[in-house]
Amino acid sequence: MNGATMPSPVAEESQGIPNVEDVATNGRRTNGRQKPQLHRSKSDIGPRGEAMMRDARAHEEGVWMMRHGWEDQHTSEEYLSLLTSTFYMYYTDKRHESGGNPKEETYPLQEWRMKDRLKTVSAALVICLNIGVDPPDVIKTNPSAKLEAWVDPFSSNLAAAKAMEQIGKALQSQYETLSIRTRYKQYLDPSVEDTKKFCCSLRRNAKDERVLFHYNGHGVPKPTQSGEIWVFNKNYTQYIPISLYDLQSWLGAPSLFVYDCSEAGNIIHNFNRFIDKHEAENADLRSKDPNAQIMNFSDCIQLAACGRSESLPTNPDLPADLFTSCLTTPIEIALRFFCLQNPLPSNLDLESVSKMPGRLQERRTPLGELNWIFTAITDTIAWNILPRTLFKKLFRQDLMVAALFRNFLLAQRIMRVYQCHPQSSPELPDTHHHPLWQSWDLAVEMVLAQLPALQRDPEGYEYQHSAFFTEQLTAFEVYLSQGAVEQKAPDQLPIVLQVLLSQVHRLRALILLSKFLDLGPWAVNLALSIGIFPYVLKLLQSAAQELKPVMVFIWARILAVDQSCQTDLLKDNGYQYFISILNPTSGIPVGNASEHRAMCAFIVAMFCKGFKQGQAVCLSPELIEGCLRHLNDAENPLLRQWSCLCISMLWVGFPEAKWVGIRCLAHRYLCEMALDPVPEVRTAMLHALTNFLGIPDLTDQIAQIEESIASTILVMTTDGSNMVRKELLVFFSTFVKRYENKFLVAAYEQVLEERENMLRGQSGDDAEIRPSSLDMKRFNKGINGDSREQSLSHDTVYASIWKHLLIMSVDPHPEISLNASLVVDYVHNSALQSPLAPLFQTAIDDVLRSVRRPLALNATTEFARGPSQIPLSPSRSMAARQEGYLSLGMKRTASVAASLKNFAFGLPTSADSSPTSTVKSTPGKGAQQNRFSAPPRSLTPAEWNLPPDDNDRSTTSAAYQVARTPVSKGFKPRNVRDQPSIPLPSRFLEWSIEYFREPQMKPSEADEPGSVDYNQRLWRRTRNEKIIVMTQPQKEQAGSSRWDHASGFFNNGGQPMKMCFHQFEDHLAVTDDRDTICIWDWQRQARLSRFSNGNPAGSKITESRFINEDDQALLMTGSSDGVIKVFRNYESAQKAEVVCAFRALTDLVPSNKNAGLVFDWQQGQGKILVAGDVKVIRVWNAATEICTNDIPARSGSCVTSLTSDQVAGNVFVAGFGDGAVRVYDQRMKPAEAMVKVWRDHKQWISNVHMQRGGLRELVSGSRNGDVKLWDIRMDLPLRTIKATSSVLRSLSVHEHAPVFATGSERHAVKVFNVNGAFLSSFEPYSSFLQQHRSSPISATAFHPHRMMLACSALNDNHINIFTCEDKGRMPWEG
């Protein structure tokens, strides 16, 4: 059921569960959504719109009365609310869309951790000024820039040596604001010898860490064309060049070079050339001596002040070391630059601007706030422009490198104004044009506007903080509100990271961050790569209550993508943050506390997953007991699901935790969840119990506990959910592996039982009842005369599980049958390699000989389909009938021969064939003879000898083409060459984790106005309404017009037996007398698809219905072996998939006779009413996928037809083989549910049908040709119509028009109105070469809205469409 829609009041009340949306699905949350819901099309429940008002007026005038006393529904608020309620969709949840399998495509996790994080541990500040002596190649202007490290070297009160010392100290203090832990050493006007010495010492002390080499060359010549830099000789009489080759040899790598000199680009230009030379020498050295020690030269980062032919600016308003100032004092130089570039008059001078109050480290002061904003802006610019790998290397690997490169972006912006273009290696793109610089200018201007007042009254003036971060958070919020249509990184993400540092904005930033992470794994990857993790990890130490909900959400999203955070949670006991919230007694300041506790359970589960240390620290009775208490939370299935999975992850490979669970009685509480209304919860419970198995010390107590668990969950073998049964197989496989020897005995004794049954059947004892498994004890004792020969596995849980495994090996769902076959084959393999091998092989050979004999006899008749369709079960229909229906369902599918279909014993197999079982004819008799054989009257009701098709001869050609059988999503065929192994792996945990990778805060795509899905759904609704409005007037004329206007004729390619029209699409579903379904476009008379239902041989499709017709419909089929299947994409044979398949009636025998299985689908209630050759009417809930009710039919006859009230859904009516018609009310207790029985019919009920609209007529027809109209308030029929004097083969009633049609034994279709007036009679056309004028009518079907009738005859593959005569209207319009 689609969790994005809201239920109608009637539907919610009738299901009787606390919260239908939460309980029936584990899909998206809709908390806080204000989007308008898409209402249902007014499709099939009563009159619509103007028609309903017209009917209401007619009711007031006394023109008519609604049948059954339901006219009040048309005037009640409840009924009107139901008509406009949102439409429920069934079998469309994630578990159906994905087949319960995790997605194949994985989200590649980007490496966001800095495994190669470096530190700049040492720095050499090389300052070559030689104050008072200008280099020969430099011509300075007058006045000229002179400040070095904001110190004037030519100050009158400073000597040259003293000035150099102050400049060195000032430069060091500036660098210390970037990295206080780096060891700095000043080298003032060094000689070449000193330079070599300190460079080698620098590398030796730093070892493998990074060193910084800052070079100020303002007092020496410019670098040479070959990249040489200059220093002095010892006497300062000469400038001595230092080759880059030598400098690299001294410093090695990793290194960071800063060149503040003119024409610095020459250094970078030549640097890599010498690196290549060093690498070549290293390679040559390594070739000569592999053990030789070599120096690394590859990781070198360089920053240069200008290009190759550019000189540094000499503007006297700027410092001489402008590049260094940008790198080390960005705020001061940025304020000065702003003032210099400001074209508007200002009272501020450069001196006052340089005295900005505050400290860089205090974000609440003006200077600190500007520094904070500057860091956020430069980080964001780099994030938006640089490639991710380069950003990570330069801005996240090393604090010193990150600070210098952030400031380098400012240098790019400032120095280009003065005709200098700073260079870097790795090269950075130009960033001066980024729009965030305008935000920076605004922030600077807002601070400078307050500067005069701050300087006049620093104590009294209240500083107005910048709105920069508030505005950027708003911009981020706008980005999120647009839904992030493209997976593009938002510009503001690094700013959000910076905002987390502020308590003022922290909560809002975290909320916005959580919304961003909710977009999916790509968003989580981006957030982790930007560096969000250290912040959210540190916040786990915060005791702030208001942060708890958002922190839980953020960590759930992170762990869903990256499980490697387990060790981080272990540090400082971060995991306790979530365990405390998971405690049921803890408080959390949020309305949906259960949902956040579910996230905590998920986080703890992921913390324990594959992490022994995590399991150990989490182990406590309080955690397990808390999870067990959450199992009683009826409101939130997600909490129940993850409470089970949390316990499961704690138990994996951890016996101590299992013992704690035993003391808490966890296994008992988990077993009580076997009937939980949510399939995901039931599956999670099985996952936990599977991991509970396997305590190494297998004592009697442990064995008894595990046996009790296994016996308790055996009831889940009949679960309607594919996902539950698939996980149950994982439990069974684990249990089989643990008690393998006992299952070998059970398998051997099952083969013996099968052999004895088959030998008795072939010895001519057909009149005797075949011994069942319950009689084996007496049977063995009677044969051998020794009670020691009794079955060892009799009445044990091992025998029961083995028989259920055999049953599941022929499960209707392909993936389940495949997995069960693996377990069965593993046991058989093990048996053939065990001491039982000789005995087991002998028994198997006997069984196979018994199977081959009837196969050979019937090779040309019964099995014309080919090798892939040959059934292997040796059971026979005669023996099957004798055994009785209650035990036969088990006996049929538990056949050892059926389980051997994929086992390499010499029988033909097919990897593509679906698991099948069959009922065979008596060996030695032909297939046709068996068709007329009847079971003894002493064991079956008499009317079972007279079903509608009892004497029909099959006309299907021997060249019948077997269609493709659809499989489930994610199904992978088994490679029979691979040896089976157990236990089977479970994929449920990975599937469940995907919930936290999917968006939960925004509406689903189908609920988002403007989306493709939304527009398609809106178009379908408009189309549906148009069809209803168009056909409404025709329904009034249909009761008095002729119906013999031929409008369509096409060849189905197989005998049509059941037909069903889609309400709104031009689709007609046709099933034949075997297992093939054809979907026709009746408008174009073209076949859209043809596929197989995958029935066992010997059974057929008995019912078909379209469900979810208001939107994208699914096709539901029922077959005579008791199986219900639901198909998606049914209109395409290649895309058709099995959505759901389960055995709705476990006691049916696959047969071409009798009623088989009949069902009725209630769209409003989401229920399937199923009956047939059983004594009960079973009610299956499509939302919960479990049988909610078994209503006794209170008849010894079979149910031949079912119909129900489609509005309230409480009342349904069943027709029986003995002619009885019974009315049931689901609101009553099952034993009292039958409220009325009519016995006016004396023969087999061909059909009983209650209209969805119109007067809600209830019509029944029996084989003798009588058609009766009923009112459930009356004891006698309202009207009896003799529709035909021959045998009535079919009866169809229009859903809204007051007409019905009958098909007779004499090839005639007659149409009557509900008053008994005869309207038309016609015979279906046949092909020119194949006339079957005497063939009985096999099927008739009305279109639910259009005045259209489809019919077909026996022994004819053609389908005829007739429409109601309506002059002036095209045939296809009604």
Side-chain angles (χ1 to χ4, degrees):
M1 185 175 62
N2 190 343
T5 58
M6 295 298 291
S8 65
V10 176
E12 185 167 356
E13 178 184 358
S14 65
Q15 290 188 10
I17 50 182
N19 187 328
V20 176
E21 181 181 358
D22 286 342
V23 174
T25 182
N26 194 12
R28 293 181 172 86
R29 293 184 294 112
T30 56
N31 297 339
R33 292 187 189 168
Q34 301 298 324
K35 301 291 184 182
Q37 296 289 342
L38 186 62
H39 295 300
R40 66 183 297 168
S41 300
K42 300 172 181 177
S43 59
D44 59 353
I45 304 180
R48 303 297 184 202
E50 297 178 0
M52 187 170 69
M53 298 302 296
R54 185 165 58 250
D55 292 343
R57 289 194 298 270
H59 169 57
E60 293 174 0
E61 296 169 2
V63 175
W64 53 266
M65 291 289 288
M66 182 76 71
R67 299 295 186 206
H68 323 300
W70 290 340
E71 60 272 6
D72 291 341
Q73 292 179 342
H74 285 258
T75 57
S76 70
E77 291 294 330
E78 184 180 35
Y79 183 76
L80 296 176
S81 174
L82 178 64
L83 290 181
T84 58
S85 66
T86 316
F87 186 57
Y88 259 142
M89 299 285 287
Y90 296 94
Y91 297 108
T92 56
D93 284 325
K94 182 191 171 185
R95 65 178 180 270
H96 302 116
E97 298 288 345
S98 63
N101 297 314
K103 297 177 181 176
E104 293 296 335
E105 63 272 15
T106 58
Y107 297 94
L109 178 64
Q110 298 177 2
E111 183 53 53
W112 55 273
R113 293 182 185 273
M114 299 303 303
K115 294 182 179 179
D116 53 349
R117 183 181 292 276
L118 295 174
K119 290 184 294 184
T120 302
V121 296
S122 302
L125 307 181
V126 182
I127 305 173
C128 298
L129 293 180
N130 197 14
I131 297 174
V133 179
D134 292 335
D137 57 351
V138 174
I139 302 176
K140 291 187 177 180
T141 60
N142 190 17
S144 178
K146 55 185 179 180
L147 295 179
E148 299 281 355
W150 300 102
V151 175
D152 185 358
F154 304 104
S155 176
S156 58
N157 57 352
L158 285 178
K162 195 70 173 177
M164 278 294 293
E165 185 179 338
Q166 286 197 7
I167 292 171
K169 289 181 178 179
L171 181 61
Q172 179 174 333
S173 65
Q174 289 172 195
Y175 264 108
E176 286 174 346
T177 62
L178 306 182
S179 177
I180 190 66
R181 296 184 178 180
T182 302
R183 298 188 300 268
Y184 298 96
K185 185 69 174 177
Q186 306 163 30
Y187 298 99
L188 311 178
D189 292 340
S191 65
V192 63
E193 294 83 0
D194 293 338
T195 304
K196 178 180 180 181
K197 182 178 179 180
F198 71 69
C199 284
C200 293
S201 175
L202 207 64
R203 170 49 56 200
R204 184 170 57 254
N205 294 331
K207 296 181 180 179
D208 294 330
E209 298 289 353
R210 179 173 280 122
V211 296
L212 167 65
F213 182 84
H214 177 95
Y215 175 72
N216 181 328
H218 296 174
V220 293
K222 301 174 184 178
T224 65
Q225 291 296 321
S226 60
E228 295 170 312
I229 61 174
W230 299 87
V231 290
F232 305 96
N233 63 359
K234 287 186 177 182
N235 300 324
Y236 296 94
T237 57
Q238 289 182 329
Y239 300 109
I240 306 298
I242 296 179
S243 168
L244 284 180
Y245 179 85
D246 293 334
L247 188 64
Q248 292 169 354
S249 300
W250 302 338
L251 286 174
S255 299
L256 171 60
F257 297 89
V258 177
Y259 311 119
D260 189 349
C261 58
S262 297
E263 299 184 8
N266 282 324
I267 305 176
I268 291 182
H269 179 72
N270 291 279
F271 195 90
N272 289 333
R273 180 165 58 87
F274 290 109
I275 289 289
D276 294 339
K277 184 176 180 181
H278 279 295
E279 294 293 346
E281 291 175 355
N282 285 342
D284 184 56
L285 183 61
R286 193 181 294 111
S287 64
K288 295 178 181 178
D289 182 6
N291 298 322
Q293 292 185 351
I294 59 176
M295 182 175 287
N296 179 29
F297 298 98
S298 59
D299 186 9
C300 292
I301 299 173
Q302 303 171 84
L303 299 174
C306 55
R308 297 181 63 182
S309 58
E310 296 174 347
S311 298
L312 296 178
T314 57
N315 188 328
D317 293 328
L318 298 173
D321 59 345
L322 177 60
F323 184 62
T324 299
S325 298
C326 290
L327 295 182
T328 58
T329 56
I331 306 303
E332 288 85 339
I333 196 64
L335 293 174
R336 179 178 290 256
F337 175 72
F338 181 84
C339 292
L340 292 175
Q341 296 298 310
N342 189 6
L344 301 177
S346 174
N347 296 326
L348 295 174
D349 55 18
L350 297 180
E351 183 68 23
S352 60
V353 167
S354 65
K355 298 179 179 179
M356 177 66 65
R359 296 178 66 246
L360 289 174
Q361 292 77 16
E362 296 179 3
R363 290 187 293 272
R364 303 298 293 172
T365 63
L367 185 61
E369 186 176 60
L370 278 177
N371 186 58
W372 186 25
I373 294 173
F374 176 80
T375 301
I377 286 178
T378 50
D379 224 31
T380 304
I381 291 175
W383 163 261
N384 291 330
I385 291 182
L386 300 185
R388 292 288 177 262
T389 53
L390 186 58
F391 174 84
K392 178 180 173 183
K393 177 180 179 180
L394 300 182
F395 288 82
R396 291 296 181 266
Q397 191 181 59
D398 186 329
L399 291 178
M400 174 69 82
V401 174
L404 288 176
F405 268 92
R406 277 197 299 267
N407 302 341
F408 179 77
L409 302 184
L410 177 67
Q412 279 187 326
R413 184 183 190 224
I414 292 177
M415 298 189 70
R416 69 178 300 276
V417 176
Y418 303 101
Q419 288 73 50
C420 281
H421 298 83
Q423 309 290 307
S424 69
S425 175
E427 185 178 0
L428 298 188
D430 203 357
T431 60
H432 73 276
H433 58 278
H434 198 280
L436 272 178
W437 285 120
Q438 299 177 16
S439 299
W440 167 248
D441 290 339
L442 176 61
V444 170
E445 185 175 11
M446 297 302 293
V447 173
L448 290 180
Q450 302 180 69
L451 185 58
L454 281 169
Q455 292 177 340
R456 283 194 307 267
D457 186 10
E459 300 295 333
Y461 182 77
E462 183 178 354
Y463 175 66
Q464 301 296 318
H465 293 282
S466 172
F468 171 79
F469 288 107
T470 302
E471 293 167 353
Q472 292 300 317
L473 287 179
T474 302
F476 189 49
E477 193 170 6
V478 171
Y479 163 84
L480 293 172
S481 67
Q482 301 306 311
V485 178
E486 297 181 359
Q487 294 185 3
K488 179 183 176 183
D491 296 344
Q492 299 80 17
L493 191 57
I495 297 177
V496 176
L497 178 68
Q498 290 292 325
V499 174
L500 292 179
L501 299 172
S502 168
Q503 291 187 356
V504 177
H505 305 290
R506 181 175 294 160
L507 181 58
R508 185 187 179 195
L510 284 173
I511 292 174
L512 293 177
L513 177 62
S514 66
K515 291 182 178 179
F516 176 68
L517 298 181
D518 187 59
L519 296 177
W522 67 271
V524 176
N525 272 326
L526 282 176
L528 291 175
S529 63
I530 195 65
I532 214 80
F533 185 77
Y535 294 83
V536 295
L537 181 62
K538 190 173 183 180
L539 284 175
L540 292 180
Q541 307 304 319
S542 171
Q545 288 289 320
E546 67 275 7
L547 296 183
K548 286 187 175 181
V550 66
M551 286 297 295
V552 168
F553 188 93
I554 288 173
W555 270 95
R557 265 52 194 176
I558 291 176
L559 282 171
V561 175
D562 188 358
Q563 191 184 334
S564 67
C565 303
Q566 294 167 318
T567 53
D568 301 282
L569 283 177
L570 188 62
K571 297 174 184 177
D572 301 324
N573 297 328
Y575 64 93
Q576 288 289 353
Y577 189 89
F578 307 105
I579 291 181
S580 63
I581 299 175
L582 184 57
N583 191 323
T585 60
S586 67
I588 180 170
V590 67
N592 53 346
S594 293
E595 189 162 354
H596 284 78
R597 287 198 173 97
M599 295 181 204
C600 287
F602 163 73
I603 292 170
V604 176
M606 296 302 293
F607 178 61
C608 294
K609 182 176 180 241
F611 188 46
K612 294 293 184 182
Q613 293 173 283
Q615 290 176 305
V617 297
C618 287
L619 178 58
S620 67
E622 291 75 22
L623 176 61
I624 294 180
E625 289 173 354
C627 290
L628 294 176
R629 287 181 61 183
H630 289 315
L631 297 183
N632 298 322
D633 189 327
E635 298 296 324
N636 196 314
L638 188 65
L639 177 56
R640 301 199 301 276
Q641 175 185 344
W642 277 102
S643 294
C644 293
L645 291 175
C646 181
I647 296 175
S648 178
M649 289 297 98
L650 187 62
W651 279 345
V652 175
F654 195 21
E656 291 81 359
K658 298 177 185 180
W659 278 110
V660 174
I662 291 175
R663 288 189 284 270
C664 296
L665 301 180
H667 56 286
R668 294 187 184 179
Y669 290 110
L670 288 170
C671 287
E672 292 175 2
M673 308 298 292
L675 296 179
D676 190 277
V678 179
E680 287 85 351
V681 177
R682 302 198 296 274
T683 310
M685 176 270 289
L686 289 170
H687 192 278
L689 291 178
T690 301
N691 286 325
F692 175 80
L693 300 176
I695 295 179
D697 186 12
L698 185 55
T699 62
D700 291 342
Q701 178 192 3
I702 297 301
Q704 184 179 1
I705 291 174
E706 293 181 349
E707 287 180 11
S708 67
I709 292 173
S711 60
T712 302
I713 64 174
L714 276 175
V715 67
M716 303 181 75
T717 56
T718 59
D719 198 291
S721 171
N722 310 325
M723 191 166 61
V724 173
R725 300 200 309 280
K726 189 161 60 174
E727 194 67 24
L728 180 63
L729 270 177
V730 177
F731 175 90
F732 282 165
S733 67
T734 307
F735 194 79
V736 168
K737 184 69 173 178
R738 184 160 171 82
Y739 299 96
E740 184 172 326
N741 289 336
K742 295 186 179 182
F743 279 96
L744 295 183
V745 174
Y748 172 63
E749 292 181 346
Q750 177 67 23
V751 174
L752 292 182
E753 179 183 348
E754 185 78 9
R755 181 181 64 178
E756 296 300 333
N757 290 338
M758 297 176 69
L759 291 176
R760 287 176 60 85
Q762 293 177 8
S763 63
D765 299 333
D766 291 344
E768 299 296 329
I769 298 178
R770 187 175 64 182
S772 66
S773 60
L774 299 178
D775 297 326
M776 280 300 293
K777 182 177 179 180
R778 292 189 298 272
F779 178 81
N780 286 332
K781 187 174 181 180
I783 293 295
N784 301 304
D786 187 356
S787 60
R788 289 178 298 180
E789 298 295 329
Q790 297 175 10
S791 172
L792 295 176
S793 63
H794 178 61
D795 280 345
T796 65
V797 68
Y798 310 104
S800 298
I801 290 179
W802 179 245
K803 290 189 178 182
H804 280 293
L805 283 170
L806 294 174
I807 293 172
M808 297 178 81
S809 70
V810 289
D811 193 273
H813 192 271
E815 193 171 357
I816 295 172
S817 64
L818 178 67
N819 290 346
S821 299
L822 287 172
V823 182
V824 171
D825 289 354
Y826 175 86
V827 174
H828 285 163
N829 262 337
S830 299
L832 292 175
Q833 297 171 8
S834 70
L836 283 174
L839 299 174
F840 192 80
Q841 185 67 60
T842 301
I844 287 291
D845 292 341
D846 292 341
V847 171
L848 293 181
R849 277 194 295 270
S850 300
V851 172
R852 289 192 184 100
R853 187 176 296 112
L855 286 178
L857 290 173
N858 299 316
T860 59
T861 56
E862 193 72 22
F863 307 106
R865 294 184 174 190
S868 65
Q869 298 296 319
I870 294 179
L872 302 180
S873 172
S875 307
R876 299 174 302 114
S877 60
M878 182 72 78
R881 294 294 180 81
Q882 293 169 344
E883 228 183 337
Y885 275 76
L886 293 179
S887 64
L888 188 57
M890 287 280 290
K891 186 61 59 181
R892 171 183 59 82
T893 52
S895 167
V896 173
S899 71
L900 297 178
K901 61 186 179 301
N902 290 325
F903 201 57
F905 285 128
L907 285 180
T909 60
S910 173
D912 298 328
S913 62
S914 59
T916 58
S917 63
T918 185
V919 176
K920 295 293 297 162
S921 60
T922 304
K925 298 182 181 180
Q928 190 61 42
Q929 180 180 356
N930 181 59
R931 189 172 185 81
F932 292 99
S933 62
R937 290 179 177 269
S938 59
L939 292 179
T940 57
E943 74 279 1
W944 284 16
N945 295 320
L946 297 172
D949 56 352
D950 187 48
N951 294 320
D952 296 344
R953 295 177 179 269
S954 175
T955 60
T956 303
S957 170
Y960 183 83
Q961 295 182 353
V962 179
R964 170 186 176 269
T965 302
V967 295
S968 56
K969 184 82 170 181
F971 174 80
K972 295 180 179 178
R974 172 185 173 187
N975 187 346
V976 294
R977 295 182 179 85
D978 296 338
Q979 287 294 322
S981 63
I982 59 172
L984 299 173
S986 172
R987 305 177 70 190
F988 176 70
L989 180 66
E990 286 70 24
W991 181 88
S992 299
I993 292 172
E994 289 179 355
Y995 173 86
F996 295 101
R997 296 175 184 153
E998 298 166 351
Q1000 308 297 333
M1001 291 187 179
K1002 69 174 186 176
S1004 63
E1005 190 71 10
D1007 292 331
E1008 187 70 55
S1011 68
V1012 174
D1013 290 347
Y1014 184 92
N1015 291 340
Q1016 289 177 347
R1017 181 175 288 183
L1018 195 62
W1019 177 87
R1020 282 191 291 266
R1021 180 191 174 196
T1022 305
R1023 186 267 322 264
N1024 300 350
E1025 296 283 3
K1026 181 179 179 181
I1027 291 175
I1028 294 169
V1029 171
M1030 180 186 71
T1031 58
Q1032 192 66 33
Q1034 304 168 30
K1035 296 169 184 176
E1036 300 175 359
Q1037 303 174 12
S1040 58
S1041 303
R1042 295 186 61 81
W1043 279 78
D1044 54 0
H1045 184 84
S1047 299
F1049 178 71
F1050 43 87
N1051 188 346
N1052 185 59
Q1055 174 64 62
M1057 296 303 292
K1058 295 288 181 180
M1059 294 185 290
C1060 179
F1061 280 99
H1062 192 293
Q1063 286 195 66
F1064 306 110
E1065 302 285 352
D1066 298 334
H1067 294 167
L1068 172 64
V1070 183
T1071 63
D1072 63 11
D1073 56 348
R1074 289 197 180 179
D1075 68 345
T1076 303
I1077 304 166
C1078 292
I1079 306 297
W1080 287 87
D1081 184 326
W1082 53 261
Q1083 184 89 295
R1084 298 186 293 113
Q1085 300 189 34
R1087 190 171 71 186
L1088 302 178
S1089 68
R1090 179 177 182 268
F1091 58 90
S1092 170
N1093 193 54
N1095 289 4
S1099 64
K1100 65 179 180 179
I1101 302 172
T1102 55
E1103 292 282 0
S1104 63
R1105 294 282 191 280
F1106 289 105
I1107 68 174
N1108 301 342
E1109 292 176 277
D1110 282 39
D1111 197 59
Q1112 291 179 306
L1114 305 174
L1115 180 65
M1116 179 181 289
T1117 64
S1119 51
S1120 59
D1121 61 341
V1123 169
I1124 295 284
K1125 287 189 177 182
V1126 181
F1127 295 95
R1128 180 196 301 116
N1129 303 326
Y1130 59 84
E1131 68 277 9
S1132 170
Q1134 298 304 315
K1135 296 181 180 180
E1137 293 177 342
V1138 175
V1139 178
C1140 179
F1142 62 99
R1143 205 175 298 280
L1145 296 178
T1146 55
D1147 303 323
L1148 270 185
V1149 179
S1151 171
N1152 273 326
K1153 300 182 180 181
N1154 311 323
L1157 176 145
V1158 294
F1159 73 83
D1160 190 44
W1161 166 250
Q1162 293 183 327
Q1163 183 71 52
Q1165 293 287 302
K1167 292 181 180 178
I1168 315 170
L1169 307 175
V1170 189
D1173 297 334
V1174 289
K1175 307 303 181 185
V1176 296
I1177 299 170
R1178 189 158 289 172
V1179 182
W1180 286 86
N1181 190 312
T1184 62
E1185 299 189 65
I1186 56 177
C1187 177
T1188 57
N1189 219 350
D1190 270 352
I1191 299 175
R1194 295 180 63 178
S1195 171
S1197 179
C1198 61
V1199 179
T1200 64
S1201 180
L1202 276 175
T1203 187
S1204 64
D1205 167 26
Q1206 291 288 337
V1207 181
N1210 297 317
V1211 175
F1212 66 90
V1213 182
F1216 289 81
D1218 60 358
V1221 178
R1222 289 177 170 83
V1223 182
Y1224 302 85
D1225 192 333
Q1226 296 186 62
R1227 293 168 294 188
M1228 309 288 285
K1229 295 180 180 178
E1232 303 171 359
M1234 192 192 78
V1235 294
K1236 187 173 290 293
V1237 57
W1238 296 302
R1239 303 185 186 276
D1240 296 69
H1241 290 294
K1242 302 302 179 184
Q1243 293 191 19
W1244 183 285
I1245 300 296
S1246 297
N1247 192 19
V1248 58
H1249 188 84
M1250 181 181 291
Q1251 287 185 311
R1252 298 179 181 178
L1255 295 184
R1256 314 295 298 284
E1257 297 283 5
L1258 175 60
V1259 184
S1260 65
S1262 63
R1263 289 205 47 167
N1264 63 0
D1266 289 341
V1267 176
K1268 298 180 183 291
L1269 279 72
W1270 307 90
D1271 190 305
I1272 62 173
R1273 298 169 294 180
M1274 306 297 180
D1275 293 330
L1276 297 175
L1278 300 175
R1279 188 172 291 107
T1280 300
I1281 303 165
K1282 189 66 175 177
T1284 177
S1285 58
S1286 64
V1287 177
L1288 187 143
R1289 296 296 300 252
S1290 70
L1291 169 67
S1292 297
V1293 184
H1294 199 284
E1295 295 291 358
H1296 300 279
V1299 295
F1300 65 88
T1302 62
S1304 70
E1305 189 86 12
R1306 297 179 179 175
H1307 199 67
V1309 176
K1310 296 181 180 180
V1311 182
F1312 300 83
N1313 64 21
V1314 293
N1315 294 322
F1318 172 77
L1319 299 180
S1320 296
S1321 177
F1322 47 85
E1323 296 182 357
Y1325 297 115
S1326 300
S1327 63
F1328 177 74
L1329 297 177
Q1330 187 179 11
Q1331 295 290 335
H1332 296 285
R1333 301 296 299 274
S1334 61
S1335 297
I1337 300 300
S1338 62
T1340 56
F1342 278 106
H1343 191 285
H1345 293 291
R1346 302 178 188 271
M1347 302 305 108
M1348 184 182 299
L1349 172 66
C1351 57
S1352 64
L1354 199 65
N1355 304 325
D1356 187 1
N1357 296 340
H1358 291 83
I1359 297 172
N1360 292 259
I1361 294 181
F1362 294 88
T1363 56
C1364 180
E1365 184 181 51
D1366 186 8
K1367 296 181 179 180
R1369 187 177 297 275
M1370 294 300 293
W1372 302 123
E1373 297 177 351

